[in-house]
């Protein structure tokens, strides 16, 4: 069963108008995964990362982003932001979400995991623990995109194409519901 909420690429952009700020390739009526494949092979393949972030539901977008970032880090790298985001993916309640948000607020913004923790922290509910300030619906996608691009851009230039391909493939697997072994 597919996890895709959208039948066409245009529906993604209609739901998230801010996607057009980072994905300059005009939307079409083609299926989202076909558009994603075209982005990844096109003249601006980094746009595919942004499309992945907007395409997936919030929880899956955070899972995709943290797994993508982990795949680009040296083995054994400890990233508290990724750990906090993973805790929220596994137990998506407010307690874990606010813990991820606290960690992001005090985290190193130069680290990709801090951005993924922000994505988890702003995945829904209130932006502030003590007040009812709703999270904008596109904030998780924006922050997940930043975290993944941060990780891609830390790689040597020769490794970026392979990392980008791995990120897109991971998104496709999640969207097609082939992999859900969290």
């Amino acid at each position: 069963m597919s996890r895709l909420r959208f039948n066409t690429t245009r529906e993604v952009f209609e739901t998230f108008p801010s996607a057009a700020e980072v994905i300059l390739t005009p939307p079409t009526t083609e299926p989202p995964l076909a558009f994603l494949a075209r982005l990844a092979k096109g003249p601006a393949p980094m746009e595919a990362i942004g499309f992945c972030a907007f395409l997936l539901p919030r929880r899956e977008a955070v899972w995709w982003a943290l797994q993508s970032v982990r795949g680009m880090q040296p083995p054994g790298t400890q990233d508290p932001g990724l750990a906090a985001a993973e805790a929220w993916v596994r137990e998506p309640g407010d307690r874990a979400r606010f813990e991820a948000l606290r960690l992001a607020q005090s985290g190193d913004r130069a680290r990709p995991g801090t951005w993924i923790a922000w994505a988890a922290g702003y995945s829904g509910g209130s932006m502030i623990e003590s007040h009812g300030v709703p999270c904008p619906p596109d904030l998780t996608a924006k922050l997940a995109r930043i975290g993944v691009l941060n990780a891609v851009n830390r790689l040597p230039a020769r490794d970026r194409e392979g990392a980008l391909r791995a990120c897109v493939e991971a998104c496709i697997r999640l969207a097609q519901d082939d992999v859900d072994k969290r």
Side-chain angles (χ1 to χ4, degrees), residues 3-161:
R3 291 183 178 198
L4 290 182
R5 309 171 280 169
F6 308 104
N7 294 314
T8 70
T9 299
R10 187 164 286 129
E11 290 175 7
V12 177
F13 285 79
E14 288 170 352
T15 302
F16 300 109
S18 61
E21 296 170 11
V22 296
I23 305 163
L24 302 180
T25 302
T28 65
T29 57
E30 69 189 304
L33 295 181
F35 183 78
L36 176 59
R38 193 162 53 86
L39 284 177
K41 293 176 184 170
M46 292 294 199
E47 288 185 3
I49 298 298
F51 191 70
C52 287
F54 283 100
L55 179 63
L56 295 169
R58 291 178 213 171
R59 185 172 173 214
E60 285 79 3
V62 171
W63 181 248
W64 162 78
L66 76 90
Q67 291 299 317
S68 293
V69 169
R70 279 194 177 136
M72 291 181 250
Q73 294 178 329
T77 300
Q78 299 298 314
D79 190 324
L82 294 180
E86 183 172 356
W88 173 78
V89 167
R90 292 183 185 282
E91 295 285 333
D94 277 346
R95 188 181 65 71
R97 187 174 65 79
F98 281 119
E99 185 56 37
L101 188 57
R102 278 189 286 279
L103 192 135
Q105 290 169 337
S106 64
D108 179 357
R109 292 179 186 199
R111 294 186 74 150
T114 299
W115 294 97
I116 309 304
W118 279 110
Y122 287 146
S123 60
S126 178
M127 293 177 71
I128 302 170
E129 201 165 0
S130 60
H131 296 71
V133 180
C135 291
D138 63 351
L139 201 48
T140 296
K142 288 177 175 180
L143 296 164
R145 174 188 165 271
I146 290 169
V148 174
L149 289 177
N150 180 314
V152 168
N153 287 323
R154 290 169 167 260
L155 296 173
R158 69 182 178 279
D159 296 337
R160 290 180 187 163
E161 184 179 336

